[in-house]
Amino acid sequence: MIGQYVLDLQEVDETQLALVGGKGAHLGALSRIEGIRVPGGFCVTTHAFRQIMAQAPSVEDLLDQLSHLNPDDREAIRTLSAQIRRTIEGVAIPGDLAAAITRALSRLGEQAPCAVRSSATAEDLPTASFAGQQDTYLNVVGPTAILRHVSRCWASQFTERAVTYRQRNGIDHRTVNMAVVVQRMVFPHASGILFTADPVTGNRKVATVDAGFGLGEALVSGLVNPDVFKVRHGEVVARTIAAKQRAVHALPAGGTQEVEVDPQQQGQPALTDAQAVRLVHLGRRIEEHFGRPQDIEWCLVDDDFQIVQSRPITTLFPIPETADQGNRIYVSVGHQQMMTDPMKPLGLSMWKLTAMAPMTEAGGRLFVDATRALSTPTGRAGLLDLVGRGDPLTRDALETVLDRDDFLPLLPDPAPGRPPAGGAPAPIETDPAVVNGLIERSRASIDALRRDIATKAGPALFDFLPEAFKEHKRVLTDPLNHQAIMAGMEATWWLNDKLHEWLGEKNAADTLTLSAPDNITSEMGLALLDVADVIRPHPEVVAFLQNVEDDSFLDELPKHAGGTQARDAIEGYLDRYGMRCAGEIDITRPRWRESPSTLVPAILDNVRNFEPGAAQRRFEQGRQEAWKKEQDVLTRLRALPDGESKAEETQRMIKRVRTFIGYREYPKYDIVSRYFLYKQALMKEAERLVQAKVLTEKEDVFYLTFQELHDAVRSNQVDDRLIRQRKEAFHTYQALTPSRVLTSEGETINGAYRRDDVPDGALVGLPVSGGTVEGRARVILDMGQADLEPGDILVTAFTDPSWSPLFVGIAGLVTEVGGLMTHGAVIAREYGLPAVVGVDRATRLIRDGQRIRVHGSDGYVEILS
């Protein structure tokens, strides 16, 4: 070590990130891996950066100003960050620091060409790469130039892009320090980037090599398209050779220049296949050392690879952990439950404890391991048929993997066992009493849970909850419960298939199920119209609600004329539906009862957009439309050959679908009702832990699993570091997008519709509710930010039952996620809204305010303006 300011790369490893930054720490570690060559050099440590910052006190005030800026205020960020950079570059490097850098440089050769590279302490991390956020200078020659470029690297801590990146990722500018790496310059024949996992598909078994002539800056800057080699199991499995017309080369006196590549050489590959395979072998060694897939910058000099940088690939979706080394296929739970956001650890563990099927987790999301079901002909056919009816994209994604014969070989079906005692269950009768009985049993069970859980606290609560979970599962796995759900779904499929075959009707069940009884989710939307009826006659209450900013507004309402009636109406609504919220499968999400202000925008929309009595009128209108549709199809059927028989069978199925289809929504209501009771009890334990100073805030329990919370209650101890790590991990999971299907190789697959019957430029999706509507698109990602007018079309990522209050005021629906029988589709049909779901990237391809046309029967969306 030369003083406290300079360390040789050979002295550095991953443990010194705070001293030499991410790039320096990784380069030091790389230089210690056997068989990996790294150009020699040294690090100017963060001690030097802090000394320079101490000599620029005006930067503190500028940082204060910067921290209050919106990340989208680019002009203000540009101005302030430029001022900070000028200030830092204007600080003279103290003599002892300059001497330490110069002495280290003399060991490389005082006039040796060098690369001078920024190395921030929040760079090349497992969770945030910060790639390209700070500066690198190539072919810098001589002590004076080196010192000047070291200053520039310090200042590049505050480039506009680096500042914006930190602001968006919630990173305090003061917590990040800057080191600088000075390395001997390499003058390569070829250079590029190696990804040890495919950066597009996520496949960990496929490495991707991008290669071009000369220095890598030609590729990084987009000056040329690279050659691309895909390498799997030591073999090039795909290659694309680009015409590389330009390259970047070093100048003898310093700096770089762009040059034209000899026309004879432009179409030649920058690497041979053998070199690409050898490079990937080195990359696997680096990946093994760091324990995760890497993004590696390399140079080829005289057939010898030198590594100039390695960082984690932060965009890959994690792979579920399993003890089995065989190939596995996972199906996303979030795409079935309409909640693809990450869940916190308590939410994940509670859903796993109460779910009907075993689940695994990755990236804050839940997956079902479908490998076993897909391994036999009967299991595969059954699962593909089941998922295909609900979401064709999931089926296509599964078939994409299964079409690779070597990934999951088919095993013979097991020999048939002895038939179950008593044979197959008798078909369920089309009797409303069946549904009424199921609902009453659910209510009685939840009332008992509410009564019993109120008497439990501390360890006794955690002794009680496993028994409560058994009752939870018992109610949901009641064979009659499953039969009632399937009766409604199967009747829907029958009507759609037969009426299309006999009459050419598309999705006839959409109209035949309008205003079906016992649909708790559609009732919830209509009930909020009734709340608006109570509030509408009181202008003072309406004005007050327009300025609500927090959840204490219910206590303030009685101070206004009509406020007591308004409060009572909202409280009554919360008594019935207050356990609901967006993303309700995650117990940690705030429920409407906990955050009632979430409902205020929807209430105000209803006050503004509807007349009194709208709920009853809408329900009756739907019932009449369904009845007219029934008479229409029955009349047309009777005119067909064997028409009386067809009509009689259809009428039976219409009665059956209207008896059972509404119940499809009730089991979810049962689940979230129980969840809220569990949560209230667990949060009382969290409050006790806060009072005992075991936790800083009660929401910290969200970052513990159920078992860890149990342990904390018994021991009165919590690992604060674990909670911090979990919070950081959750933050990174929010930037990841889960796919419908994930393999054990890390490949993410979303499937495709493979349709050629839609207009050019249309966005393709799944038709789930018939009809065509044209209107203004409202792209809304947070229900609490809704501001809707009559005729608007809601465009969002996904909807769950909590969104249904918005459905009463819209003309159509478009979502990125969904299937034929998911909640958004069911309620869209219930309210007669044309709807297309499963539209890839809809919230990005459709802009808020654009006019669009939704083709709900044909499954596509046209952008009109």
Side-chain angles (χ1 to χ4, degrees):
M1 181 169 178
I2 305 172
Q4 61 173 333
Y5 298 126
V6 176
L7 285 172
D8 190 274
L9 273 180
Q10 294 287 339
E11 301 177 80
V12 172
D13 62 22
E14 303 101 307
T15 65
Q16 293 162 292
L17 186 141
L19 191 61
V20 296
K23 191 175 289 133
H26 276 77
L27 284 168
L30 284 166
S31 68
R32 294 163 179 249
I33 303 173
E34 185 179 352
I36 303 300
R37 292 200 57 193
V38 176
F42 59 89
C43 295
V44 182
T45 69
T46 53
H47 291 310
F49 176 73
R50 283 196 290 271
Q51 181 170 346
I52 295 299
M53 292 293 282
Q55 293 183 36
S58 62
V59 170
E60 275 299 310
D61 179 54
L62 295 173
L63 288 177
D64 280 337
Q65 296 177 49
L66 201 58
S67 65
H68 291 100
L69 291 180
N70 187 308
D72 295 321
D73 191 347
R74 297 181 62 181
E75 186 58 40
I77 288 175
R78 184 179 300 122
T79 301
L80 269 177
S81 58
Q83 193 174 346
I84 293 171
R85 289 198 306 279
R86 285 194 302 270
T87 303
I88 293 171
E89 287 186 42
V91 175
I93 299 179
D96 57 340
L97 173 53
I101 295 171
T102 303
R103 283 196 299 273
L105 182 60
S106 67
R107 295 170 59 180
L108 300 178
E110 198 165 273
Q111 295 302 312
C114 291
V116 183
R117 316 176 74 194
S118 307
S119 180
T121 55
E123 182 179 20
D124 295 351
L125 305 180
T127 55
S129 74
F130 282 73
Q133 301 307 313
Q134 284 90 28
D135 289 346
T136 287
Y137 301 97
L138 300 179
N139 201 27
V140 183
V141 180
T144 302
I146 293 287
L147 290 171
R148 183 169 67 251
H149 286 86
V150 167
S151 282
R152 288 183 177 178
C153 283
W154 288 328
S156 75
Q157 168 83 325
F158 298 99
T159 61
E160 180 187 346
R161 61 185 181 275
V163 166
T164 302
Y165 190 96
R166 287 194 295 271
Q167 303 256 106
R168 291 193 189 284
N169 284 275
I171 298 170
D172 185 345
H173 302 294
R174 291 180 176 83
T175 64
V176 182
N177 289 308
M178 179 69 78
V180 180
V181 175
V182 180
Q183 276 180 291
R184 188 186 299 276
M185 186 68 191
V186 175
F187 301 100
H189 159 72
S191 58
I193 300 167
L194 161 63
F195 297 96
T196 63
D198 191 309
V200 177
T201 68
N203 195 317
R204 293 350 186 234
K205 299 289 179 69
V206 177
T208 301
V209 178
D210 289 1
F213 295 124
L215 294 167
E217 271 49 43
L219 302 186
V220 174
S221 65
L223 183 63
V224 296
N225 291 323
D227 296 341
V228 180
F229 300 83
K230 301 276 187 183
V231 179
R232 182 184 175 97
H233 299 319
E235 179 185 354
V236 174
V237 294
R239 74 179 63 74
T240 304
I241 307 304
K244 302 168 288 296
Q245 297 174 336
R246 313 290 291 174
V248 174
H249 287 294
L251 292 168
T256 61
Q257 72 172 6
E258 181 187 316
V259 298
E260 188 171 343
V261 176
D262 185 321
Q264 299 296 317
Q265 192 187 12
Q266 289 177 6
Q268 294 298 310
L271 295 178
T272 65
D273 282 8
Q275 287 170 330
V277 169
R278 181 154 51 93
L279 175 60
V280 169
H281 179 70
L282 295 174
R284 293 291 180 216
R285 195 176 295 176
I286 294 169
E287 178 184 69
E288 184 179 1
H289 175 86
F290 288 117
R292 53 176 51 88
Q294 297 288 299
D295 164 358
I296 298 166
E297 294 182 24
W298 55 269
C299 295
L300 180 64
V301 184
D302 299 328
D303 199 36
D304 182 31
F305 286 106
Q306 298 203 34
I307 306 301
V308 295
Q309 187 166 344
S310 184
R311 62 170 73 93
I313 306 175
T314 59
T315 56
L316 297 175
F317 200 87
I319 305 172
E321 292 183 7
T322 177
D324 191 327
Q325 296 304 305
N327 288 341
R328 311 203 74 75
I329 300 175
Y330 303 98
V331 176
S332 165
V333 172
H335 285 80
Q336 310 304 313
Q337 291 292 336
M338 298 298 94
M339 217 294 274
T340 56
D341 290 348
M343 297 167 67
K344 297 185 178 79
L346 186 61
L348 289 166
S349 63
M350 287 292 287
W351 190 260
K352 288 168 73 174
L353 284 166
T354 54
M356 299 302 108
M359 294 177 185
T360 186
E361 60 190 76
R365 278 80 170 187
L366 291 167
F367 294 85
V368 170
D369 186 344
T371 311
R372 186 174 179 183
L374 294 168
S375 295
T376 62
T378 301
R380 182 173 294 191
L383 183 59
L384 289 176
D385 181 63
L386 181 64
V387 299
R389 283 188 175 276
D391 181 9
L393 288 178
T394 298
R395 176 173 183 144
D396 184 82
L398 287 171
E399 288 177 331
T400 299
V401 183
L402 296 172
D403 284 347
R404 303 167 191 159
D405 295 335
D406 61 338
F407 190 83
L408 192 66
L410 270 177
L411 303 173
D413 281 321
R418 183 179 299 173
I428 189 172
E429 292 292 327
T430 303
D431 183 357
V434 172
V435 171
N436 293 336
L438 285 167
I439 291 173
E440 283 308 313
R441 270 177 288 200
S442 166
R443 287 175 178 164
S445 176
I446 291 170
D447 286 344
L449 172 64
R450 183 180 293 108
R451 222 172 25 247
D452 295 344
I453 204 169
T455 66
K456 305 294 188 292
L461 172 66
F462 290 89
D463 292 337
F464 166 78
L465 282 173
E467 295 304 312
F469 299 161
K470 287 180 185 176
E471 169 67 3
H472 179 132
K473 291 183 178 182
R474 186 196 66 75
V475 171
L476 293 173
T477 55
D478 180 343
L480 193 61
N481 184 56
H482 180 71
Q483 284 180 285
I485 293 169
M486 291 308 299
M489 293 169 66
E490 287 166 354
T492 299
W493 298 334
W494 189 95
L495 287 166
N496 281 337
D497 291 346
K498 291 297 185 183
L499 295 180
H500 186 259
E501 176 189 341
W502 293 337
L503 299 176
E505 283 267 356
K506 279 186 180 178
N507 304 318
D510 294 356
T511 306
L512 292 167
T513 54
L514 289 172
S515 297
D518 300 311
N519 189 320
I520 189 73
T521 307
S522 66
E523 290 169 4
M524 178 171 68
L526 297 175
L528 205 62
L529 288 173
D530 292 334
V531 172
D533 285 354
V534 174
I535 290 170
R536 191 179 293 106
H538 305 292
E540 196 175 324
V541 170
V542 174
F544 169 73
L545 291 177
Q546 287 169 342
N547 295 296
V548 163
E549 293 182 354
D550 58 47
D551 294 317
S552 63
F553 76 96
L554 287 172
D555 296 330
E556 299 295 315
L557 267 174
K559 298 176 183 177
H560 303 273
T564 300
Q565 298 96 304
R567 183 198 60 192
D568 291 348
I570 295 171
E571 287 282 3
Y573 186 86
L574 291 172
D575 287 344
R576 181 112 166 98
Y577 304 109
M579 75 294 289
R580 310 219 82 146
C581 67
E584 60 194 10
I585 70 169
D586 183 353
I587 198 172
T588 72
R589 291 285 191 109
R591 311 283 137 173
W592 289 344
R593 170 55 80 183
E594 297 169 314
S595 183
S597 60
T598 306
L599 291 171
V600 170
I603 292 171
L604 289 172
D605 283 348
N606 289 347
V607 168
R608 183 174 67 249
N609 297 333
F610 292 93
E611 296 296 322
Q616 181 59 38
R617 280 197 306 276
R618 284 191 66 126
F619 186 82
E620 182 58 27
Q621 180 184 345
R623 200 178 64 78
Q624 289 293 331
E625 285 183 41
W627 184 82
K628 288 176 186 173
K629 186 68 172 179
E630 178 179 357
Q631 302 312 304
D632 173 60
V633 297
L634 294 177
T635 299
R636 290 159 61 198
L637 285 171
R638 290 187 181 106
L640 299 177
D642 196 25
E644 280 301 329
S645 173
K646 289 183 172 77
E648 188 177 325
E649 194 174 7
T650 299
Q651 191 165 28
R652 278 202 308 273
M653 281 298 177
I654 291 172
K655 182 179 180 184
R656 192 166 179 80
V657 79
R658 290 190 65 80
T659 298
F660 291 112
I661 198 64
Y663 182 70
R664 165 71 179 78
E665 293 292 295
Y666 203 87
K668 188 73 173 287
Y669 179 78
D670 177 290
I671 291 170
V672 296
S673 296
R674 295 175 193 276
Y675 258 41
F676 192 37
L677 295 172
Y678 303 152
K679 183 179 185 180
Q680 288 174 309
L682 293 175
M683 293 314 288
K684 287 178 183 175
E685 298 305 312
E687 288 169 5
R688 292 188 188 100
L689 291 172
V690 171
Q691 290 166 4
K693 301 195 178 336
V694 175
L695 291 177
T696 305
E697 53 188 23
K698 62 182 181 179
E699 287 77 15
D700 283 348
V701 297
F702 296 161
Y703 298 93
L704 300 173
T705 65
F706 178 78
Q707 185 58 51
E708 288 165 349
L709 177 53
H710 183 183
D711 294 342
V713 168
R714 289 189 182 275
S715 67
N716 251 20
Q717 291 182 324
V718 166
D719 184 346
D720 292 334
R721 185 177 57 180
L722 177 67
I723 290 176
R724 284 197 303 274
Q725 289 171 347
R726 295 266 178 83
K727 287 180 178 180
E728 290 170 7
F730 179 76
H731 180 70
T732 65
Y733 296 155
Q734 289 176 306
L736 299 176
T737 302
S739 62
R740 286 171 170 80
V741 170
L742 177 66
T743 74
S744 51
E745 292 186 346
E747 185 175 7
T748 57
I749 310 159
N750 268 307
Y753 289 106
R754 307 186 193 282
R755 289 174 55 185
D756 56 10
D757 59 343
V758 298
D760 289 344
L763 307 181
V764 184
L766 178 66
V768 295
S769 184
T772 301
V773 67
E774 181 180 319
R776 179 180 68 157
R778 294 311 316 270
V779 181
I780 298 171
L781 300 178
D782 178 357
M783 178 183 159
Q785 303 301 315
D787 181 14
L788 297 165
E789 298 289 345
D792 283 349
I793 297 170
L794 174 62
V795 180
T796 190
F798 54 81
T799 64
D800 59 13
S802 72
W803 287 72
S804 61
L806 297 188
F807 283 27
V808 298
I810 58 176
L813 174 70
V814 179
T815 70
E816 294 179 343
V817 176
L820 192 62
M821 296 308 294
T822 49
H823 300 277
V826 170
I827 303 307
R829 291 193 292 272
E830 170 71 14
Y831 287 165
L833 303 173
V836 180
V837 303
V839 180
D840 186 37
R841 297 177 296 146
T843 60
R844 282 168 278 180
L845 296 174
I846 300 171
R847 295 195 310 275
D848 187 55
Q850 280 185 311
R851 285 197 71 76
I852 62 174
R853 185 180 296 130
V854 177
H855 295 263
S857 300
D858 297 309
Y860 65 90
V861 179
E862 291 179 283
I863 299 176
L864 305 178
S865 66

